[in-house]
Amino acid sequence: MPFTDTTACRAVAAALLATAALALTTACHEISGNRIGNPAGVSPAPSSTSREDGEHPSPGPDGRVACTPEMLRFHAGAMPRRAHRMLLTVTNSSGRTCHFATQRYPLLRFGDDRQPTLPAIAASRPPTAVSLAPGDTAYATITTSAAGEPGGRGHRGRKISQFGVALTGRATPTQVGLDGRAPVHVDPRTATVTFWQTSLAAARKW
């Protein structure tokens, strides 16, 4: 028998409309509370600027970055025909130009971290901070003991075959071995170091 009860049809239609309205209201509340595009409980992806500066130094306005140990090759050894002198060189092995503007001379220690770093020779400071293009080299001369005293004052000191080099005050020193591994006698009490120089000729003046 065909269904013709008008009242029943109206009741069914009203129920369907109520159900649809309730579903729409619930959906609106969920969208409003969770903010479309950022579902609740999901953190936004970190941006590229959140990386550590030590691993990925940010370039300055001129496109340069501070030199880091990972960008450099270190060499050290006695300076030929120069008494009480060692030569430290660093070569930029990266593909980016870097500079020593923040710390303009190497921080050296002959021994453990309790010893202070070697003082710099103030007169050796160049007019501008040294900058290294890829493949360029910087130089620093190390005076291993006081002039005229073969082993330092009172012949006290030590023989070293490696030493720590830091490029900034808070950096962990990089251990640099001497070329040829021939020990060099140093006196930490009287040793000094020059500022970074752009040429071997400039470094040999000290």
Side-chain angles (χ1 to χ4, degrees):
M1 178 179 178
F3 188 81
T4 58
D5 191 330
T6 303
T7 302
C9 289
R10 291 177 178 174
V12 171
L16 291 175
L17 288 174
T19 301
L22 178 60
L24 181 60
T25 302
T26 302
C28 290
H29 282 300
E30 290 178 354
I31 292 173
S32 175
N34 292 341
R35 299 180 186 273
I36 294 176
N38 184 23
V42 179
S43 300
S47 66
S48 59
T49 58
S50 64
R51 295 177 295 188
E52 293 293 334
D53 289 343
E55 297 177 359
H56 303 278
S58 299
D62 56 1
R64 300 183 307 162
V65 298
C67 295
T68 64
E70 295 76 17
M71 303 173 72
L72 305 173
R73 292 197 308 268
F74 294 79
H75 294 280
M79 186 178 289
R81 297 182 297 278
R82 293 295 306 278
H84 321 297
R85 299 290 189 276
M86 286 196 301
L87 182 67
L88 171 66
T89 68
V90 289
T91 302
N92 184 354
S93 59
S94 75
R96 307 176 69 181
T97 297
C98 67
H99 62 80
F100 294 110
T102 302
Q103 175 61 46
R104 298 184 61 176
Y105 62 90
L107 301 175
L108 309 183
R109 281 191 173 91
F110 297 145
D112 56 41
D113 291 342
R114 291 174 295 179
Q115 294 182 341
T117 57
L118 299 190
I121 301 173
S124 70
R125 182 185 180 113
T128 59
V130 171
S131 178
L132 293 180
D136 283 356
T137 298
Y139 307 82
T141 296
I142 304 166
T143 304
T144 57
S145 61
E149 299 179 4
R153 288 196 189 97
H155 297 276
R156 288 184 288 181
R158 68 184 67 181
K159 286 187 175 182
I160 64 167
S161 57
Q162 67 176 17
F163 56 95
V165 180
L167 302 181
T168 61
R170 295 183 178 182
T172 300
T174 298
Q175 293 300 312
V176 178
L178 303 185
D179 292 343
R181 297 293 178 180
V184 172
H185 195 113
V186 302
D187 183 352
R189 298 168 306 130
T190 59
T192 56
V193 64
T194 66
F195 282 74
W196 290 115
Q197 309 293 320
T198 57
S199 69
L200 178 58
R204 289 184 60 84
K205 293 179 181 179
W206 305 96

